[in-house]
Amino acid sequence: MGRTVVRAARPEEQEETGALVGAAFSAEPPRRRTPGGAEAHDGARPGVARVAVDEDTGQVLATAVARLCGQWWGGRRVPAAALAGVAVDLTARGRGVGRALVADTFAAAREAGASVVALIPSTHAFYRGAGCGVAGRRPVYAIGTHDLRDLPRDRSLTYREATPQDAPRVAELVAAHGARTNGVLDHDEATGSAVPYVAERDGAVVGWCALGRRPARPGHGGNYAVVVHDLVGADPAAELGLWRDLAADEPSAREVHALVRPGGLLEQHVRRQTETVEDASWMLGLLDVPAALAARGYPRGVTGRVVLDVPGHGVHTLDVAGGRAAVTPGGAPTVRVGPADLASVYAGHLDPLTARHAGLLHGDDDAVALLRTFFAGPPAVLDRPF
Ligand SMILES: CC(C)(COP(=O)(O)OP(=O)(O)OC[C@H]1O[C@@H](n2cnc3c(N)ncnc32)[C@H](O)[C@@H]1OP(=O)(O)O)[C@@H](O)C(=O)NCCC(=O)NCCS
C-alpha cells in the first residue's frame, strides 16, 4: 500500500465513491466497484467532496461529502456544512485514513465559508477525536395513525405534490421555523425516495412535508409505515393538518415513524408517544471558533463577557449584548473548555455547570453561570436525515 493523499473528488470518481458509501452503509454485501453506486455528491448542490487515494495505485480508499448550507442558532443563520457519507474502504481502516480525510473535509468546508459542521455519527469516538461534540438527540417515535387522525382538522387546507417552483416559499417556511428554534438546516429540495407535498390555504403555500415508506413492523399491522423526513407549517393549524391529513395515511399505514421535537407541537397534541424506533444523537463541530461564536444569536437581555480558552483554537473574548456577540482575540481566560465540549455547550446540549462537574470545563461560578445563560434555548434538533 502506497502513500495516501487527500484531495477534492473528481467527477469521474463518482461511481467509485458511490460504491464505497454503498459498501459502508448498506446491508447488501459489498459490490465490486461497478457503476450505479448511490449518494455520491451530485455536483448540483453547493458543497465539498473529498477523497483519500492510494498514490501508487490510484485506488479511492475513502470518501466524504459536505453540503454547504445555513444552520439556525439563537435566531440567526450560521454558515454551516452538513457532513455525510464518510466511508473508508474496509481494507484501509484503522491507519488514520478516516481521520486525515475528515480533517481535510472540515478544512475545505471552512475555506468555503462554513463555521460549523453538523453530522449524524455512527461512531461518536471517531468524531469526538475530530473536534465534534454531541449536540442533541433525534428520537424517532412510532405514532399510531389513528392518534394522528384525532388532531384538529383545518378544512381550509388543500394539498398537492410539491414542484420545484415551491422551493423559494418552502425555504422561507423552513427559515421562519429555524429562527424560532435551534439546529435547523436550510431547506434542501433533494428528498431522495420520499415524496414532497405542500399544504395550501387560500392559494398560498402554508406547509411542506416529505413522506417516505418503510416496511411495517411485524405485529403492528398495515401494509407499510410512513416515514416523515421533514414537515414544517407556517402556523400550528397548517403543521397539524399535514400530520393529520397526509402523514396519517390510513388504513394502509398503521404507524407513522417521525422525529418528535422535544417541546414541539406534536409532543403536545399526540396522546401516545411511547415507542421509539430510533434514538440517535447528532453532533456539531466548530470549524472556526470565533466565527461560529460571532455568527449565532444570543438571548436578548443578557449582557456579559466571558474569555474562552479553547485548547488548539486560541483565546477569545466573547462580549454578549442585545442578542449578538462581539468576539475579539485574546484576553485573560475565565473559562477553559476543549473544542468538542464547547460545541456541545454551543448547541445547548451540554450544560456548563454539568460540564464543570464532569471535569470537561473549568471556570469560576460567575463565568459558568453566564455561559449557561448565553447558550440557553430550545433543544437543538437536526430535523432531517441527510
Ligand atoms: C468510522 C470510519 C470512517 C473510521 O475510519 P478509519 O480510517 O478506520 O479511522 P482512523 O484510523 O482514521 O481512526 C481515527 C480515530 O478514530 C478512532 N475510531 C475509528 N473507528 C472507530 C470506531 N468504529 N469506534 C471508535 N473509534 C473509532 C480510532 O481509534 C482513531 O482514534 P485514536 O487516534 O485515538 O486511535 C470507518 O471505519 C468507516 O468508514 N466505517 C463505516 C462507515 C461509518 O461508520 N462512517 C462514519 C460515518 S457516519
Side-chain angles (χ1 to χ4, degrees), residues 13 16 46 58 80 122 153 306 321 380:
E13 286 164 344
E16 218 174 338
S122 52
R153 181 166 205 185
V306 293

Side-chain angles (χ1 to χ4, degrees), residues 67 69-73 80-83 117-121 135-140 177 181-186 229-230 259-262 280-284 379-386:
R67 175 171 83 100
C69 56
Q71 188 173 38
W72 290 84
W73 291 105
L83 183 76
V117 60
L119 61 100
I120 301 173
R137 304 205 68 86
R138 310 185 68 256
V140 175
H177 165 59
T181 182
N182 281 327
V184 171
L185 298 179
D186 285 347
H229 289 255
D230 206 357
L259 193 147
V260 176
R261 180 177 276 278
S281 50
W282 67 280
M283 296 178 92
L284 184 76
V381 176
L382 193 62
D383 301 59
R384 240 178 106 160
F386 52 85

Side-chain angles (χ1 to χ4, degrees), residues 326-351:
V327 184
T328 44
T334 55
V335 168
R336 182 158 51 84
V337 60
D341 297 316
L342 180 61
S344 291
V345 168
Y346 185 101
H349 183 72
L350 179 62
D351 171 48

Side-chain angles (χ1 to χ4, degrees), residues 239-266:
E239 190 177 327
L240 293 175
L242 286 167
W243 287 109
R244 181 191 185 281
D245 301 329
L246 290 192
D249 176 9
E250 274 194 319
S252 294
R254 298 280 164 78
E255 283 186 350
V256 172
H257 294 184
L259 193 147
V260 176
R261 180 177 276 278
L265 215 49
L266 205 58

Side-chain angles (χ1 to χ4, degrees), residues 24-25 86-88 92-99 120-123 125-127:
F25 293 104
V86 175
V88 177
R93 290 187 192 170
R95 54 186 179 87
V97 173
R99 186 212 313 272
I120 301 173
S122 52
T123 55
F126 174 71
Y127 286 112

